[in-house]
Amino acid sequence: MPTESRKFRRRCANALRFLAIDAVQAANSGHPGMPMGMADIAEVLWRRHLKHNPANPRWADRDRFVLSNGHGSMLIYALLHLCGYDLPTEELKRFRQLHSKTPGHPEFGMTPGIETTTGPLGQGLANAVGMALAERLLAETFNRPGHKIVDHYTYAFVGDGCLMEGISHEACSLAGRLSLSKLIVFYDDNDISIDGHVQPWFADDTPKRFEAYGWRVVAHCDGHDVDSIEAAIRLARTATGRPTLICCKTMIGFGSPNKGGTHDVHGAPLGSDEIVNTRRQLEWPFAAFEIPDDVRAGWDARTRGEAAEYAWDANFAAYRNRYPELADDFDRRMRGDLPSDWQDHVAALMEVFGKQTSAVATRKASQNVIEAIAPILPELLGGSADLTGSNLTNWSGTRPANREAGGNYVNYGVREFGMTAIANGIALHGGFIPYTATFLVFSDYARNAIRMASLMKQRQLMIYSHDSIGLGEDGPTHQPIEHAASLRLIPGLDVWRPADAVETAVAWTTALERRDGPSCLLLSRQSLPALARSAEQTANIARGAYILREAEGRTPGVVLIGTGSEVALLVEAQAMLGQEGIAARVVAMPCTRRFDLQPVSYRQEVLPPTIPTLAVEAGHPDLWRKYVGPNGAVIGIDRFGESAPAAELYAYFGINVASIVGQARRLVGIA
C-alpha cells in the first residue's frame, strides 16, 4: 500500500466512526462508543495487515477476526461494508431491524465475513483461542518444507467486560500453555463500562496478569496513534511461541465533544445535536451514511484479497502436485465432509456392537466407539476438563496437544466453560470436529457456550458422563437431576441418553453426520445390559425413539417410555406386567429432539395418543409430561440426590421395577 498521510488514515477511521454513529441513530438503539474508540486500531489492522478476500469469506487460509466485545457490532459491519463484502449500505441503514444482515450483535452465518457469534462477553476471546489452536494444529499436520498452506493469524478485539468474565481466565491461561503465537488480542482499555468508570470494580494489572499466563504483552499502545498501533502489531507478528496482548489506551466515543470518555456513549445513540457536534469536531462534512469516494477507494480490499487468495491457490496447486493425498484430505476436512467410505465403517461398527451381549457402561461404550472411528477420522480433536480417566474420552492413539507438539487431544484442565467455547472456535475454524467432556452435572458451568454452539449450528460433540444418581457415593453435588431436562430445552441441541452400547454407537455416528448443530451424549458410570434388537429397530434409533419391545400378540394396554439406564428396568417391568395379563409396550427414547422432528404418523405409531403412557427417567420429570399427556404418569426425581451406593439410591428414589409395575397398574385401572 502506498504511503498515506496521517490525515487520510484518520479520515478512513472516521468513516468507521460515522457509519456506526449513523446506524445507531437510525435504529435508535445500539452501542456507538466502542466503534468510535477502536476505529483507529481497526483501520491499521484491516487496511495494513489482515489477510482476507471479501469475494470469498470462507477462504481457508484467511486471517480470522473476532469481535469479542460484540455489542460494538457496527464496527465490524462498517469494516465489512467498506472492504467490499456483500453488505450494502441498505443493510447498515437497517441495523438491528428484523431479518437484516446487521443484527444487534454479530451472528455467524447471517452476515458474510462474521467468523463467530459474539455478545456474551469473553466467549469471542475463547473462540479466538480455539481458532488459533486449530490453525496451529492444522499447520503442524499439513505443512511441508516449502509448502505452507496453513499460515494465518487470529486477531481479536476485547473490552474490559470480556476480561472481567471468568472465561477469559480459563481460555487465556490455557492459550499461554499452548504456544499460540499467531493469536493477537487487542484490549480496548477505555476505563468505561455501562455503569461508568470501571476503577471501583476492575482495577486489575492486566499486563501482569497476561504475563503470568505466559503471553507477550505490549503494555502501552496509544489506540489513536497509527504509528503506535502499527509498531505493536509488527512486534506481535514476530514469532516467540507466545500469544500477544496489545493493551490499547483509547477514549470511548472518540470525537464526541460532550459524551466522549463517558458511559453516556456506551449503549445509546449520540442524539442529533451531538452528532452535529461530532461531525464538526472530526471535520466530517458528509450526510448520514455518505462516504467520500477517496475514502471508499482507500478501504476497498477486493483487489488485494483476490491477489492474496490467487497466490495461495498457486501454492496449494504446487502442494497438491507434490502431496496429492494430503491435499485431498485437507480439502475434505475444510469442507467438513466425512470420509467417502464412512458408511462402510459405520456398518462394520454396528455389526460388531450388535453382537455384544455383555453389560457395559455407556461411557465405556463411547470409548469403544472412539477407538473404532478415530483412526479413520483424523479430524477428531478430543479433550476433557481434567476427567479423561472418568469420561473415557481417550483411545489407544491419543496424542496430547501441548506447547511442544501437536496432537489430537487437548487436556483442558478444570475449565468447563472455557473448554466448550474454545471447542466452538475450533469447529468454526474448520478442519476439525471437536469433542469435549466432563461430568453431566458440570455442564452447568459450560451452559452458555453449549447454547452458543447450538445458536451457531456448529458440529461439536459434548460427552457428559456420570449421568444420574447412578454415580452413587459422590452425592448430590455430583448427581445431575435437572440437567438432562434443562439441556433438552436448548433449541437445536440433540441430547442423547443411550440405553446400551448400540444406542451409544448410533448417538456417536449420528452426531458426527449432523452438520447443522451440536450433540450431547449423556453416559452412565454403571454398566448397562445389552438389549436385543432387530435391524429395523437399530435403524430407528436415529429417529430418536422407537418400539424396543412390543406387547406380544396384543394391543398394548400401557406404553412405557425410558432412556439410558432406565430402559432395562422397563424391559423387566414389561415381563412382570405380562405375567399379570397387562400388555405393555416398551419405547426407548434416546433423543427427544430427533423424535419430535419425525412425522406425526411415526410419532403416533410409537406413542398412540389413546393408550396410557408412563415415562421413567432418573432425572427431573417435568419434560416428560408432554409425552405422557394429562392422563399419563412420570416416575422421576424432583429433588436433589443423596450420597450412597447406586443400587441403594435407585431403590430409595423409587426408580425400580416395583415402582414401574405399580404405576402401570394404576394407569390401566388396576389398584
Coordinates of all heavy atoms in Angstrom, one line a residue, residues 172-223:
C172 N -7.5 -17.9 28.4 CA -6.1 -17.2 28.2 C -5.0 -17.9 29.0 O -3.9 -18.0 28.5 CB -6.2 -15.7 28.5 SG -7.3 -14.8 27.4
S173 N -5.4 -18.5 30.1 CA -4.4 -19.3 30.8 C -4.0 -20.5 30.0 O -2.8 -20.8 29.9 CB -5.0 -19.7 32.2 OG -4.2 -20.6 32.8
L174 N -4.9 -21.2 29.4 CA -4.6 -22.3 28.6 C -3.9 -21.9 27.3 O -2.9 -22.5 26.9 CB -5.9 -23.1 28.2 CG -5.7 -24.3 27.4 CD1 -4.9 -25.4 28.2 CD2 -7.0 -24.9 27.0
A175 N -4.3 -20.8 26.7 CA -3.6 -20.3 25.5 C -2.1 -20.1 25.7 O -1.3 -20.3 24.9 CB -4.3 -19.0 25.0
G176 N -1.8 -19.6 26.9 CA -0.4 -19.3 27.2 C 0.4 -20.6 27.3 O 1.6 -20.6 27.2
R177 N -0.2 -21.7 27.6 CA 0.5 -23.0 27.7 C 0.5 -23.7 26.3 O 1.2 -24.8 26.2 CB -0.2 -23.9 28.7 CG -0.3 -23.4 30.1 CD 1.1 -23.1 30.6 NE 2.0 -24.3 30.6 CZ 3.3 -24.2 30.6 NH1 3.9 -23.1 30.7 NH2 4.0 -25.4 30.6
L178 N -0.2 -23.2 25.3 CA -0.3 -24.0 24.0 C 0.5 -23.3 22.9 O 0.4 -23.7 21.7 CB -1.7 -24.1 23.6 CG -2.6 -25.0 24.5 CD1 -4.0 -25.0 24.1 CD2 -2.1 -26.4 24.5
S179 N 1.4 -22.3 23.2 CA 2.2 -21.7 22.2 C 1.4 -21.2 21.0 O 1.8 -21.4 19.8 CB 3.3 -22.7 21.7 OG 4.1 -23.1 22.7
L180 N 0.4 -20.5 21.3 CA -0.4 -19.9 20.2 C 0.1 -18.6 19.7 O -0.4 -17.5 20.0 CB -1.9 -19.8 20.7 CG -2.5 -21.1 21.1 CD1 -4.0 -20.9 21.5 CD2 -2.4 -22.2 20.1
S181 N 1.3 -18.6 19.1 CA 2.0 -17.4 18.7 C 1.3 -16.6 17.7 O 1.7 -15.4 17.5 CB 3.4 -17.8 18.3 OG 3.4 -18.6 17.1
K182 N 0.3 -17.2 17.0 CA -0.4 -16.4 15.9 C -1.8 -15.9 16.4 O -2.6 -15.6 15.6 CB -0.5 -17.3 14.7 CG 0.9 -17.6 14.1 CD 0.9 -18.6 13.0 CE 0.7 -17.9 11.7 NZ 0.9 -18.8 10.6
L183 N -1.9 -15.9 17.7 CA -3.1 -15.2 18.3 C -2.7 -13.9 18.8 O -1.8 -13.7 19.7 CB -3.6 -16.1 19.5 CG -4.7 -15.5 20.3 CD1 -6.0 -15.2 19.5 CD2 -5.0 -16.4 21.5
I184 N -3.3 -12.8 18.3 CA -3.1 -11.4 18.7 C -4.4 -10.8 19.2 O -5.3 -10.7 18.4 CB -2.4 -10.7 17.5 CG1 -1.1 -11.3 17.1 CG2 -2.2 -9.2 17.9 CD1 -0.5 -10.7 15.8
V185 N -4.4 -10.3 20.4 CA -5.6 -9.8 21.0 C -5.3 -8.3 21.4 O -4.3 -7.9 21.9 CB -5.9 -10.5 22.3 CG1 -7.1 -9.9 23.0 CG2 -6.2 -12.0 22.0
F186 N -6.3 -7.5 21.0 CA -6.3 -6.0 21.2 C -7.2 -5.7 22.4 O -8.5 -5.9 22.2 CB -6.7 -5.2 20.0 CG -5.8 -5.4 18.8 CD1 -5.9 -6.5 18.0 CD2 -4.8 -4.5 18.5 CE1 -5.1 -6.7 16.9 CE2 -4.0 -4.6 17.4 CZ -4.1 -5.8 16.6
Y187 N -6.7 -5.2 23.5 CA -7.5 -4.9 24.6 C -7.9 -3.4 24.5 O -7.0 -2.5 24.6 CB -6.8 -5.2 25.9 CG -7.4 -4.6 27.2 CD1 -8.7 -4.5 27.4 CD2 -6.5 -4.2 28.2 CE1 -9.3 -4.0 28.5 CE2 -7.0 -3.7 29.4 CZ -8.4 -3.5 29.5 OH -8.9 -3.0 30.7
D188 N -9.2 -3.1 24.5 CA -9.7 -1.8 24.4 C -9.8 -1.2 25.8 O -10.8 -1.3 26.5 CB -11.1 -1.8 23.7 CG -11.7 -0.4 23.6 OD1 -10.9 0.6 23.5 OD2 -12.9 -0.3 23.6
D189 N -8.7 -0.6 26.3 CA -8.6 -0.1 27.6 C -9.1 1.3 27.7 O -8.4 2.3 27.6 CB -7.2 -0.2 28.1 CG -7.0 0.2 29.5 OD1 -8.0 0.4 30.3 OD2 -5.8 0.4 30.0
N190 N -10.5 1.5 27.9 CA -11.1 2.8 27.9 C -11.6 3.2 29.2 O -12.2 4.3 29.3 CB -12.1 2.9 26.8 CG -13.3 1.9 27.0 OD1 -13.6 1.5 28.1 ND2 -14.0 1.6 25.9
D191 N -11.5 2.4 30.2 CA -11.9 2.7 31.6 C -13.4 2.9 31.8 O -13.8 3.3 32.9 CB -11.2 4.0 32.1 CG -9.7 3.8 32.3 OD1 -9.2 2.7 32.7 OD2 -8.9 4.8 32.0
I192 N -14.2 2.5 30.8 CA -15.6 2.7 30.9 C -16.4 1.4 30.7 O -16.1 0.6 29.8 CB -16.1 3.8 29.9 CG1 -15.5 5.1 30.2 CG2 -17.6 3.9 29.8 CD1 -16.0 5.8 31.5
S193 N -17.4 1.2 31.5 CA -18.4 0.2 31.2 C -19.8 0.8 31.3 O -19.9 2.0 31.5 CB -18.3 -1.0 32.1 OG -18.7 -0.7 33.4
I194 N -20.8 0.0 31.2 CA -22.2 0.6 31.2 C -22.5 1.4 32.5 O -23.1 2.4 32.5 CB -23.2 -0.5 31.1 CG1 -23.2 -1.1 29.7 CG2 -24.7 0.0 31.4 CD1 -24.1 -2.3 29.5
D195 N -21.9 0.9 33.6 CA -22.2 1.6 34.9 C -21.3 2.8 35.2 O -21.5 3.4 36.2 CB -22.1 0.6 36.1 CG -23.3 -0.3 36.2 OD1 -24.3 -0.1 35.5 OD2 -23.3 -1.2 37.1
G196 N -20.3 3.0 34.3 CA -19.4 4.2 34.5 C -18.0 3.8 34.5 O -17.6 2.8 33.9
H197 N -17.2 4.6 35.2 CA -15.7 4.3 35.2 C -15.5 3.0 36.0 O -16.1 2.8 37.1 CB -15.0 5.5 35.9 CG -14.9 6.7 35.0 ND1 -13.9 6.9 34.1 CD2 -15.7 7.8 34.9 CE1 -14.2 8.0 33.4 NE2 -15.2 8.6 33.9
V198 N -14.6 2.2 35.5 CA -14.5 0.8 36.0 C -13.6 0.7 37.2 O -13.6 -0.4 37.8 CB -14.0 -0.2 34.9 CG1 -15.0 -0.2 33.7 CG2 -12.6 0.2 34.4
Q199 N -12.9 1.7 37.5 CA -11.9 1.6 38.6 C -12.5 1.0 39.9 O -11.8 0.2 40.6 CB -11.2 2.9 38.9 CG -10.1 3.3 37.9 CD -9.0 2.3 37.9 OE1 -8.5 2.0 39.0 NE2 -8.6 1.8 36.8
P200 N -13.7 1.4 40.3 CA -14.2 0.8 41.6 C -14.4 -0.7 41.5 O -14.4 -1.4 42.6 CB -15.5 1.5 41.8 CG -15.4 2.8 41.0 CD -14.6 2.4 39.8
W201 N -14.5 -1.3 40.4 CA -14.7 -2.8 40.3 C -13.8 -3.5 39.4 O -13.8 -4.8 39.3 CB -16.2 -3.1 39.9 CG -16.6 -2.4 38.6 CD1 -16.4 -2.9 37.3 CD2 -17.3 -1.2 38.5 NE1 -17.0 -2.1 36.4 CE2 -17.5 -1.0 37.1 CE3 -17.8 -0.3 39.4 CZ2 -18.2 0.1 36.6 CZ3 -18.4 0.9 38.9 CH2 -18.6 1.1 37.5
F202 N -12.9 -2.8 38.7 CA -12.0 -3.5 37.8 C -10.7 -2.7 37.7 O -10.5 -1.8 36.9 CB -12.5 -3.7 36.4 CG -11.7 -4.5 35.4 CD1 -11.4 -5.8 35.7 CD2 -11.2 -3.9 34.3 CE1 -10.6 -6.5 34.8 CE2 -10.4 -4.6 33.4 CZ -10.1 -5.9 33.7
A203 N -9.8 -3.0 38.7 CA -8.5 -2.3 38.8 C -7.3 -3.3 38.6 O -6.2 -3.1 39.1 CB -8.4 -1.6 40.1
D204 N -7.6 -4.4 38.0 CA -6.5 -5.4 37.7 C -5.3 -4.8 37.0 O -5.5 -3.9 36.2 CB -7.0 -6.6 36.9 CG -8.2 -7.3 37.6 OD1 -8.8 -6.8 38.5 OD2 -8.5 -8.4 37.1
D205 N -4.2 -5.3 37.3 CA -3.0 -5.0 36.5 C -3.0 -6.0 35.3 O -2.4 -7.1 35.4 CB -1.7 -5.2 37.3 CG -0.5 -4.6 36.6 OD1 -0.5 -4.7 35.3 OD2 0.4 -4.1 37.3
T206 N -3.7 -5.6 34.3 CA -3.9 -6.6 33.2 C -2.6 -7.0 32.5 O -2.5 -8.2 32.2 CB -4.9 -5.9 32.1 OG1 -6.1 -5.7 32.8 CG2 -5.1 -6.8 30.9
P207 N -1.7 -6.1 32.2 CA -0.4 -6.6 31.7 C 0.3 -7.7 32.5 O 0.7 -8.7 32.0 CB 0.4 -5.3 31.5 CG -0.5 -4.2 31.4 CD -1.7 -4.6 32.3
K208 N 0.3 -7.5 33.8 CA 1.0 -8.5 34.6 C 0.2 -9.8 34.7 O 0.8 -10.9 34.7 CB 1.2 -8.0 36.1 CG 2.3 -6.9 36.2 CD 2.5 -6.5 37.6 CE 3.6 -5.5 37.7 NZ 3.8 -5.0 39.1
R209 N -1.1 -9.7 34.6 CA -2.0 -10.9 34.6 C -1.7 -11.7 33.4 O -1.5 -12.9 33.5 CB -3.5 -10.4 34.6 CG -4.4 -11.6 34.3 CD -5.9 -11.0 34.2 NE -6.8 -11.9 33.6 CZ -8.0 -11.7 33.2 NH1 -8.5 -10.5 33.4 NH2 -8.8 -12.6 32.7
F210 N -1.6 -11.1 32.2 CA -1.3 -11.9 31.0 C 0.2 -12.3 30.9 O 0.4 -13.4 30.3 CB -1.7 -11.1 29.8 CG -3.2 -11.2 29.5 CD1 -4.1 -10.5 30.2 CD2 -3.6 -12.0 28.5 CE1 -5.5 -10.7 30.0 CE2 -5.0 -12.2 28.2 CZ -5.9 -11.5 29.0
E211 N 1.1 -11.5 31.4 CA 2.4 -12.0 31.5 C 2.5 -13.3 32.4 O 3.3 -14.2 32.0 CB 3.3 -10.9 32.1 CG 3.6 -9.8 31.1 CD 4.3 -8.6 31.7 OE1 4.5 -8.6 33.0 OE2 4.6 -7.6 31.0
A212 N 1.7 -13.3 33.4 CA 1.7 -14.5 34.3 C 1.1 -15.7 33.5 O 1.5 -16.9 33.8 CB 0.9 -14.3 35.5
Y213 N 0.3 -15.5 32.6 CA -0.2 -16.6 31.7 C 0.8 -17.1 30.7 O 0.6 -18.1 30.1 CB -1.4 -16.1 30.9 CG -2.7 -15.8 31.6 CD1 -3.6 -14.9 31.1 CD2 -3.0 -16.4 32.9 CE1 -4.8 -14.5 31.8 CE2 -4.2 -16.1 33.5 CZ -5.1 -15.1 33.0 OH -6.2 -14.8 33.6
G214 N 1.9 -16.4 30.5 CA 2.9 -16.7 29.5 C 2.7 -16.0 28.2 O 3.2 -16.4 27.2
W215 N 1.9 -14.9 28.2 CA 1.7 -14.1 27.0 C 2.8 -13.1 26.8 O 3.4 -12.6 27.8 CB 0.4 -13.4 27.0 CG -0.9 -14.3 26.9 CD1 -1.2 -15.4 27.5 CD2 -2.0 -14.0 26.0 NE1 -2.4 -15.9 27.1 CE2 -2.9 -15.1 26.2 CE3 -2.2 -13.0 25.0 CZ2 -4.1 -15.2 25.4 CZ3 -3.4 -13.1 24.3 CH2 -4.3 -14.2 24.5
R216 N 3.1 -12.7 25.6 CA 3.8 -11.5 25.4 C 2.8 -10.3 25.4 O 1.7 -10.3 24.9 CB 4.5 -11.5 24.0 CG 5.1 -10.2 23.6 CD 5.9 -10.3 22.3 NE 5.2 -10.9 21.2 CZ 5.7 -11.3 20.1 NH1 7.0 -11.1 19.9 NH2 5.0 -11.9 19.1
V217 N 3.2 -9.3 26.1 CA 2.3 -8.1 26.4 C 3.0 -6.8 25.9 O 4.1 -6.5 26.2 CB 2.0 -8.0 27.9 CG1 1.1 -6.8 28.1 CG2 1.3 -9.2 28.4
V218 N 2.2 -6.1 25.0 CA 2.6 -4.8 24.7 C 1.7 -3.9 25.6 O 0.5 -3.7 25.4 CB 2.3 -4.5 23.2 CG1 2.6 -3.0 22.8 CG2 3.0 -5.4 22.3
A219 N 2.4 -3.4 26.6 CA 1.6 -2.8 27.7 C 1.1 -1.4 27.4 O 0.2 -0.9 28.0 CB 2.5 -2.8 29.0
H220 N 1.8 -0.7 26.5 CA 1.4 0.7 26.3 C 1.3 1.0 24.8 O 2.3 1.1 24.1 CB 2.5 1.6 26.9 CG 2.7 1.4 28.4 ND1 1.8 1.8 29.3 CD2 3.7 0.8 29.0 CE1 2.3 1.4 30.5 NE2 3.4 0.8 30.4
C221 N 0.1 1.0 24.3 CA -0.2 1.3 22.9 C -1.2 2.4 22.9 O -2.3 2.3 23.5 CB -0.7 0.1 22.2 SG -1.2 0.4 20.4
D222 N -0.9 3.5 22.2 CA -1.8 4.6 22.0 C -2.8 4.2 20.9 O -2.5 4.1 19.7 CB -1.1 5.9 21.6 CG -2.0 7.1 21.5 OD1 -3.3 6.9 21.3 OD2 -1.5 8.2 21.5
G223 N -4.1 3.9 21.3 CA -5.1 3.4 20.4 C -5.6 4.4 19.4 O -6.4 4.0 18.6

